[in-house]
Amino acid sequence: MKIFLDTANLDEIQQASDFGLLDGITTNPTLAAREGRPFRELILKACEIVKDGVVNAEVVSTDTDGMLREGRELASWHPNIVVKVPMTPAGVRALHVLHGEGIRINVTLVFSAAQALLVAKAGAYFVSPFLGRLDDTAQEGLHVLSEIMDIYRAYQFPTQVLAASLRGPLHVVEAARMGVHIGTMPFKVFEQLFRHPLTDVGLASFLKDWQKARKVLGEIITTTGVRTAGR
Ligand code: E4P
């Protein structure tokens, strides 16, 4: 599963990229607005950091013509940009036209398998079901995700499923178990994936034991960089 960060914050993008784990980012108007700088500059800086990965940038028009204008403009900024359009009739009309022009489209704000079916038939590059927001309304985000995966597999749609609005490691792991193509998550969730209390406890006890026997064990690195531990 590819890992995308759901952020427009350049420090977070840089930190995830430094691990060599970042395959792309998703932004949305709310995330972009938080950063308080020109959108084009922000997206281009993100493209620089993400390098070969994908940067998702969303239109803000709600009519098809406006989405077409914005979509073409966003796609012209950088070859790694994927244009996000909302799952509305106007958005799907824009998807149909932009897809025909070779522009990659991510249909966002998808909350049902029925919506995901339409999006795949209309040629979306990514479909973004929002798990956490479904959970917030007492519907099971993971269940909707599994319905989408079943339908896409049955018809071998090339549209990639981008599980969005992931709220914790369980969402990420369950999405991966289903074979979802991409998971996009806030930096906080990305950090949580690293952690396990037993890792911390185990490391602390290893280091404590090493310290106790340090005189006998010696140093791992000598001035010549040769391993001498235990000799
Ligand atoms: C995806 O593209 C969206 O930006 C995102 O996942 C929304 O998640 P939220 O529900 O945490 O805002």
Side-chain angles (χ1 to χ4, degrees):
M1 185 175 74
K2 287 187 177 165
I3 292 182
F4 283 11
L5 221 53
D6 194 28
T7 186
N9 183 280
L10 297 176
D11 289 340
E12 291 180 347
I13 297 168
Q14 185 65 60
Q15 283 186 61
S17 165
D18 290 344
F19 288 111
L21 288 169
L22 189 64
D23 298 304
I25 63 156
T26 46
T27 66
N28 63 38
T30 304
L31 294 171
R34 254 183 226 158
E35 300 307 310
R37 62 197 288 178
F39 188 49
R40 184 170 189 273
E41 178 191 303
L42 187 64
I43 289 295
L44 289 178
K45 289 253 179 232
C47 288
E48 256 174 54
I49 302 171
V50 178
K51 298 195 181 79
D52 295 334
V54 162
V55 171
N56 287 265
E58 187 162 342
V59 301
V60 287
S61 287
T62 53
D63 62 302
T64 303
D65 285 345
M67 288 188 208
L68 291 177
R69 271 195 304 276
E70 285 182 31
R72 289 174 186 134
E73 171 67 22
L74 291 171
S76 76
W77 290 353
H78 195 283
N80 295 350
I81 290 175
V82 171
V83 174
K84 284 173 81 177
V85 302
M87 176 57 219
T88 58
V92 176
R93 273 193 295 270
L95 157 65
H96 175 61
V97 176
L98 294 171
H99 170 59
E101 294 174 10
I103 293 174
R104 294 178 300 176
I105 303 296
N106 173 358
V107 180
T108 188
L109 293 167
V110 167
F111 293 95
S112 75
Q115 290 178 323
L117 172 63
L118 298 184
V119 159
K121 284 181 66 69
Y125 187 69
F126 295 143
V127 60
S128 294
F130 278 35
L131 273 60
R133 293 194 193 189
L134 274 166
D135 291 355
D136 292 343
T137 62
Q139 295 175 78
E140 253 190 79
L142 283 168
H143 178 69
V144 172
L145 186 64
S146 77
E147 287 180 334
I148 296 171
M149 291 305 286
D150 287 348
I151 294 169
Y152 278 31
R153 283 200 176 112
Y155 292 96
Q156 297 183 349
F157 286 126
T159 304
Q160 295 175 54
V161 179
L162 195 169
S165 186
L166 301 180
R167 297 278 166 79
L170 195 62
H171 272 161
V172 178
V173 169
E174 289 303 314
R177 277 161 56 97
M178 286 178 211
V180 162
H181 305 86
I182 305 147
T184 190
M185 63 203 78
F187 189 72
K188 184 174 149 250
V189 174
F190 175 71
E191 282 185 313
Q192 286 172 334
L193 297 181
F194 283 81
R195 293 194 214 120
H196 195 287
L198 290 179
T199 304
D200 301 338
V201 170
L203 182 59
S205 90
F206 285 162
L207 295 179
K208 198 169 139 219
D209 292 341
W210 178 275
Q211 279 306 325
K212 277 193 278 184
R214 195 170 171 182
K215 281 207 177 102
V216 180
L217 292 166
E219 300 295 329
I220 290 178
I221 305 292
T222 67
T223 46
T224 54
V226 177
R227 276 180 173 266
T228 57
R231 296 209 179 144

